[in-house]
């Protein structure tokens, strides 16, 4: 079959991001995002144009022109994998451990719904220094950090202008810096790495 479905492409984008292969994930995210204006602006189709599928065929024989699951292949990798946002609303805990693609110097999200509140996260990279800004809703515990790219090591970790107590944790994404922070305020974490 030479048809390209967006759902399996989305699943691969998420899988790559979940295992710390964010540059590979970004390739699939970009492939899906290129379809945003194919048929209806802002709507992602069920299938991409391919040798076995013409999206502009007769309406009675074509695939759906708008699929919610296609957005999964963009939203989940960017929010969950690249920005590393993992809310656990029942336990009132939020983890923010970004792992941006190597070609991106920064990314952010604001007014992201979490329970009955919202949060915002941004990350900027300058050289081997990562600055993560986080604002979370009241009543949530917060773990903030950074995925350490392969071959690099922690030089310093500064939380809100003060040297922070941190741990380095092995995960499926690679090594991560973890810092526990208080809630109800905005936090700024600077993780400096070295070779």
């Amino acid at each position: 079959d030479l048809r390209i479905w967006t759902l399996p492409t989305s699943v691969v984008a998420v899988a790559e991001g979940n295992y710390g292969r964010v540059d590979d994930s970004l390739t699939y995210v970009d492939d899906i995002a290129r379809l945003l204006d194919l048929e209806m602006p802002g709507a992602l189709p069920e299938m991409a144009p391919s040798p076995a599928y013409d999206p502009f065929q007769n309406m009675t024989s074509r695939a759906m022109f708008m699929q919610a699951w296609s957005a999964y292949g963009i939203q989940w990798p960017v929010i969950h994998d690249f920005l590393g946002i993992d809310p656990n609303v029942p336990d009132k805990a939020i983890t923010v451990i970004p792992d941006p693609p190597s070609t991106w110097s920064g990314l952010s999200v604001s007014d992201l719904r979490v329970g009955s509140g919202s949060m915002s996260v941004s990350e900027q990279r300058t050289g081997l220094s990562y600055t993560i800004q986080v604002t979370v809703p009241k009543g949530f515990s917060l773990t903030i950090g950074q995925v350490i790219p392969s071959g690099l090591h922690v030089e310093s970790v500064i939380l809100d202008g003060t040297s922070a107590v941190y741990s380095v944790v092995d995960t499926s994404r690679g090594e991560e810096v973890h810092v526990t922070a208080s809630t109800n305020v905005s936090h700024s974490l600077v993780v400096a790495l070295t070779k």
Side-chain angles (χ1 to χ4, degrees):
D1 192 353
L2 297 177
R3 293 176 293 174
I4 301 171
W5 298 79
T6 53
L7 180 57
T9 305
S10 296
V11 171
V12 173
V14 170
E16 294 288 9
N18 285 348
Y19 287 95
R21 296 185 296 267
V22 292
D23 290 338
D24 294 324
S25 176
L26 181 58
T27 299
Y28 296 102
V29 169
D30 285 343
D31 287 343
I32 298 165
R34 276 193 278 280
L35 303 175
L36 269 171
D37 62 356
L38 178 68
E39 298 181 61
M40 185 173 86
L44 289 162
E46 184 175 21
M47 280 192 273
S50 54
Y53 179 70
D54 176 8
F56 303 108
Q57 62 187 289
N58 188 313
M59 288 293 281
T60 59
S61 59
R62 62 185 291 191
M64 184 64 181
F65 65 88
M66 182 172 69
Q67 288 290 340
W69 62 52
S70 301
Y72 163 71
I74 297 173
Q75 295 169 353
W76 190 265
V78 171
I79 300 300
H80 183 263
D81 295 319
F82 301 174
L83 277 169
I85 299 171
D86 190 9
N88 181 337
V89 175
D91 288 340
K92 296 288 192 184
I94 297 175
T95 302
V96 178
I97 313 288
D99 187 13
S102 63
T103 56
W104 290 11
S105 61
L107 67 158
S108 65
V109 66
S110 59
D111 296 322
L112 181 67
R113 284 288 282 189
V114 176
S116 60
S118 64
M119 65 181 292
S120 61
V121 175
S122 69
E123 183 187 65
Q124 289 295 128
R125 183 188 69 213
T126 305
L128 296 179
S129 180
Y130 297 81
T131 301
I132 303 103
Q133 306 277 347
V134 179
T135 302
V136 297
K138 288 184 176 185
F140 281 80
S141 64
L142 174 65
T143 301
I144 183 174
Q146 175 63 47
V147 172
I148 304 169
S150 181
L152 298 179
H153 308 283
V154 177
E155 183 174 61
S156 65
V157 178
I158 308 294
L159 179 65
D160 301 326
T162 304
S163 185
V165 174
Y166 68 91
S167 58
V168 175
V169 179
D170 284 321
T171 72
S172 61
R173 300 165 74 202
E175 288 188 326
E176 299 177 352
V177 171
H178 286 205
V179 175
T180 301
S182 62
T183 56
N184 305 335
V185 293
S186 296
H187 292 285
S188 177
L189 182 72
V190 179
V191 177
L193 303 176
T194 187
K195 293 182 179 180

